[in-house]
Amino acid sequence: MYALTLTAELNGVTNLRPKDTTDSPFWYTFTVQCTSCRETHGNPISVSRFETNELSGSRGEANFVWKCKNCKRESSCSIKTAPKAYEQTEPPKPQSIVEFDCRGLEFTSFSPEGEWLADGLESNTKFEGIDSLTEGEWFDYDEKAGDEVSIKELKWDIKRA
């Protein structure tokens, strides 16, 4: 089991999370590496916890099934938990966002492509459509709190859970 962890500086917001529902699934984008031959897939791959694919030989199903072009080994990954919200802390601490079970492959990096949500820390203002996290920061204005809000210093890690 692996976990995608985030450490980030949240100012005026909390509960940062991907918008991930059956109506609007989030596609987690990773760089993938084969654990047999250590070949890294040339393109990023995207995984949704709501999509399943058959494993060959009717061995069940997984959210992502991949056959390494180099060694021809079939590998798979399944997302095991719904995403957890990242809560604002001082100082920022690593927190697990989602957990997944990988067989025969490793995710080596994550790209936060897609729509994210957050809540105002004091005002509970709902911030939707946060889609600039790939740029490493996000800024907005909280009308209810009368102050600027931001998400900065994002650090994504993939660790053993």
Side-chain angles (χ1 to χ4, degrees):
M1 290 283 284
Y2 291 91
L4 172 66
T5 64
L6 169 63
T7 307
E9 184 182 311
L10 273 55
N11 296 302
V13 292
T14 190
N15 297 331
L16 176 65
R17 64 212 179 270
K19 182 177 182 181
D20 193 8
T21 63
T22 50
D23 294 336
S24 181
F26 188 84
W27 289 87
Y28 299 88
T29 304
F30 295 97
T31 303
V32 66
Q33 182 180 60
C34 177
T35 56
S36 290
C37 67
R38 307 312 284 173
E39 181 79 14
T40 299
H41 191 300
N43 298 316
I45 60 97
S46 295
V47 183
S48 166
R49 67 189 181 109
F50 298 108
E51 180 177 291
T52 57
N53 300 285
E54 293 285 325
L55 294 164
S56 63
S58 67
R59 295 185 335 229
E61 53 189 27
N63 296 123
F64 174 69
V65 179
W66 174 59
K67 188 170 189 172
C68 178
K69 287 188 171 113
N70 191 42
C71 71
K72 310 293 186 233
R73 181 175 172 192
E74 185 177 81
S75 305
S76 65
C77 179
S78 288
I79 297 172
K80 292 298 184 190
T81 60
K84 297 181 194 114
Y86 182 88
E87 295 178 7
Q88 192 270 353
T89 60
E90 276 303 324
K93 292 186 173 85
Q95 297 175 38
S96 176
I97 302 298
V98 71
E99 292 182 359
F100 38 91
D101 185 15
C102 293
R103 308 286 168 111
L105 63 85
E106 282 180 9
F107 291 142
T108 56
S109 66
F110 172 73
S111 178
E113 299 171 16
E115 184 177 348
W116 293 75
L117 310 170
D119 302 325
L121 189 60
E122 302 293 328
S123 66
N124 286 329
T125 299
K126 303 293 181 207
F127 292 96
E128 297 181 357
I130 301 170
D131 59 4
S132 62
L133 295 185
T134 51
E135 297 163 19
E137 59 188 18
W138 169 82
F139 297 90
D140 205 335
Y141 189 78
D142 187 338
E143 298 284 341
K144 287 183 193 170
D147 208 358
E148 183 180 81
V149 294
S150 65
I151 301 168
K152 302 184 288 189
E153 309 289 326
L154 289 99
K155 183 175 185 280
W156 301 97
D157 277 318
I158 299 161
K159 299 180 175 176
R160 290 200 178 273

